[in-house]
DNA sequence: CATGAATGAGGCTTCATTCAT
DNA sequence: GATGAATGAAGCCTCATTCAT
């Protein structure tokens, strides 16, 4: 490659492409080793880039994590677009959920757990977690509403059940080597069917928590 | 106990009492700041003890974490003894669960999440997590079996639902400042009632996960 | 060399130059205080370098010692090149030996002894000591063979006498403030002359060690 | 054992016996691991004694080393008494030397080297080394004088050869796993015979060291 | 823009020594 | 006399970050 072409090649790569490249490297490293165990040197090797250069695109290592979480959030938004104009929306939703859990690796799950953990000590990441949760909730409630076959279905309550359940599945996937993900997916499916068809105990039935 | 004996009691703190004292300090620090952010100096301050002294009771900082998890596990075993000989076993179970979730602080939940996270990178902690999970599962399945009012209740399946759900509630408690724990407890209660009374969709109904 | 080039030369110190610089500092510190008493901070001061920077060039403090020993070994190899094509080989050999012992400082001798001592506990240094010894032996035997004036000279036996003698002189130089190095050199010279000229008792004369 | 007997047993063990016991333990530990690698805890275990108790008998760890060296020196004095009134003094001397070198373990040799090394940094140990050397020299010169068969034998010169040679053998024994001690002993024997019988090059022949 | 050598604060751990009992 | 728990000063090393080139 000539110097001129080289220059062009460099010109072609905008700052946002650089950011993406760095985030790719970060994702690879963080997934492999977690971000506490990943050093900026590791990142530099993975990104084929000097350590100092990161700081032109991200303020700090923490900002990198933040960028990664942010990108993940955006990807979630995109992923979910699959629902649009599906002829079998309920099947599509179930498929989406199944695919997510069946394809997540232990390492990826571990990174999610690590991020939740970091969330509890780091306000910036916490904010992002809260926002992701809110978006997730909004989307789910809207989607569930559209899929309900009976007014007896309470989409908000269904989500309130689903949300921790899904988080817990990720934790289990990460921390328990023999965890049965497929079984968990099956249970979510059943729960969703039941919930959407109004066959789940209603929050209206609730007695306030006893034993306190 | 006489005053003299009392004095002796204070002086003759056995090694296990020392360990407890250290674990208390560790619990306080780790709960407050997480164990990655807790230094041995912090611990020393909290335990009113010189840093070097820890190493008479624990091999390393990691061993301290391990000791803490182990103690937590034992406490779980004790906690659960409450069920023995209760006149209202189902109510007692519900109460136990309610109390656990209603009383857990954000920080304590955060520590649990951090431990799960550490579990994914640290074999020793992983082993402990797996063991705790196995014990938890055994106890729950036995207890649920005893509480079922119909053969249609599948205790193993019910626990398979409960386990990630409870983990997810801990995660939510830790990572979402406004998380509605009480609501979650109510839902667990309903789920338990439904499950024990055979009103939950059976795993027998399962279609294999679709969408892959 | 232009001023600009000079500037570049100062700036572009290759990694091996850095290593040399560090080894120089290490040699100074270790010679002054021994390496057990030398801290990485001492080294940092001596090398005008931050402590962390050493670890870009050497894996550990031990590796530093190793590097120093290795360099010493290479220097020995170079030193010995002086023999090549000398018109008075025997004189050159005697001169070499004389120079070595007359110029070694107490501190330098002390460092050698410390390295031998370390050799007994540290496998990596032991390996290097063994290798140095083997090389030294090979060179000496070859050189003595070339210098012998009679087949009655047994170069291997002569080296077997010389080797511990020289080590012992180093020890004496290090541990005995008033040790007479010049006298020792004289004795080595005499021994060498006698050995090379076949005037030393032959190992063939040996009775096996008595008194056991 | 009754309390009274216990008290008697304790009384029977004088402070100097205690010192011996401690030195025994120190010798065992130091020989096994060197004294830099031996902790006071190791010593305590070996001596079946509390760490604090050492300080009633020795000022510091260094004093322990010193005590050990001192005892070694005294033992040397005793060892040498064997020469007194022997019917075959030369054979006895050769036997003494042979026995010393053939029976010394690598570890014991290593400890000697470590002590020489320490000698170079520690004035108290240095003083002891110097004194030992002086005593050794006096004894050897006297003994060699008595054994000489010709006035051509220069006992002082012979010792000046012997002394570093023997030190070097100890170093070699310590640092070179395959070192041939028996061969070295044979050479010392030959050298002694030659020296005592005036068949060794005289220092009178010496030219001053060349090559400087 | 990019580099990568350098920084330096701070972490975990060790261990000779002390002192209350 | 004896104990052994406790001390606390260092020591080695790591790694996010900077900055001269």
């Amino acid at each position: 490659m000539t110097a001129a072409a080289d220059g062009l090649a460099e010109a072609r790569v905008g700052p946002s492409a650089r950011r993406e490249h760095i985030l790719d490297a970060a994702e690879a490293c963080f997934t492999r080793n977690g971000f506490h165990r990943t050093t900026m040197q590791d990142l530099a090797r993975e990104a084929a880039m000097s350590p100092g250069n990161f700081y032109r695109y991200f303020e700090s290592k923490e900002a990198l994590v933040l960028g990664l979480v942010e990108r993940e959030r955006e990807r979630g938004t995109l992923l979910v677009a699959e629902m649009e104009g599906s002829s079998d929306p309920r099947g599509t939703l179930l498929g989406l959920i199944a695919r997510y859990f069946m394809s997540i690796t232990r390492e990826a799950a571990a990174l999610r757990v690590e991020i939740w953990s970091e969330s509890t000590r780091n306000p910036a990441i916490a904010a992002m977690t809260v926002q992701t949760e809110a978006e997730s909730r909004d989307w789910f409630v809207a989607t569930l509403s559209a899929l309900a076959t009976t007014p007896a279905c309470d989409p908000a309550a269904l989500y309130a059940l689903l949300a921790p359940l899904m988080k817990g599945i990720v934790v289990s996937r990460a921390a328990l080597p023999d965890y049965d993900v497929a079984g968990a997916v099956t249970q979510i499916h059943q729960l969703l069917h039941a919930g959407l068809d109004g066959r789940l105990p209603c929050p209206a039935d609730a007695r306030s928590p006893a034993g306190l």
Side-chain angles (χ1 to χ4, degrees), chain A:
Chain A
M1 193 184 270
T2 69
D6 201 328
L8 280 175
E10 270 189 10
R12 235 176 293 151
V13 191
S16 83
R18 278 281 198 246
R19 280 182 63 102
E20 288 304 306
H21 175 68
I22 291 173
L23 289 179
D24 289 344
E27 190 168 22
C29 285
F30 289 174
T31 300
R32 201 159 43 232
N33 297 109
F35 53 78
H36 275 132
R37 286 174 153 78
T38 297
T39 71
M40 296 304 271
Q41 285 295 342
D42 294 338
L43 241 43
R45 245 187 314 276
E46 179 78 29
M49 194 180 269
S50 71
N53 203 21
F54 290 124
Y55 293 83
R56 299 191 54 79
Y57 299 97
F58 294 90
E59 274 218 338
S60 64
K61 193 186 179 188
E62 181 201 323
L64 254 160
V65 180
L66 223 56
L68 208 57
V69 179
E70 166 72 8
R71 190 169 77 166
E72 207 68 8
R73 201 177 56 78
E74 284 165 7
R75 281 182 183 171
T77 308
L78 288 179
L79 186 76
V80 133
E82 201 172 312
M83 288 295 295
E84 308 282 332
S86 159
S87 66
D88 173 16
R90 190 185 285 196
T92 306
L93 175 63
L94 298 189
L96 225 53
I97 291 174
R99 225 164 54 214
Y100 177 77
F101 285 110
M102 296 304 286
S103 66
I104 197 172
T105 60
R106 280 203 67 186
E107 286 74 24
L111 181 53
R112 276 248 48 92
V113 177
E114 196 174 15
I115 287 168
W116 284 326
S117 179
E118 197 63 12
S119 204
T120 64
R121 316 288 178 189
N122 181 321
I125 297 186
M128 189 128 281
T129 300
V130 166
Q131 189 189 345
T132 304
E133 178 65 22
E135 289 179 9
S136 163
R137 188 190 162 290
D138 290 347
W139 181 84
F140 261 103
V141 170
T143 303
L144 295 176
S145 296
L147 294 179
T149 55
T150 158
C153 166
D154 178 345
L158 191 50
Y159 178 72
L161 190 60
L162 228 50
L165 182 54
M166 292 192 300
K167 289 186 179 67
I169 292 172
V170 171
V171 169
S172 303
R173 173 74 171 123
L176 302 172
D178 298 330
Y179 184 66
D180 175 17
V181 188
V185 169
T186 303
Q187 284 193 308
I188 291 201
H189 281 186
Q190 292 170 340
L191 229 45
L192 268 174
H193 280 302
L196 291 171
D197 299 341
R199 284 181 287 109
L200 227 48
C202 244
D205 308 346
R207 286 144 292 183
S208 58
L212 301 169

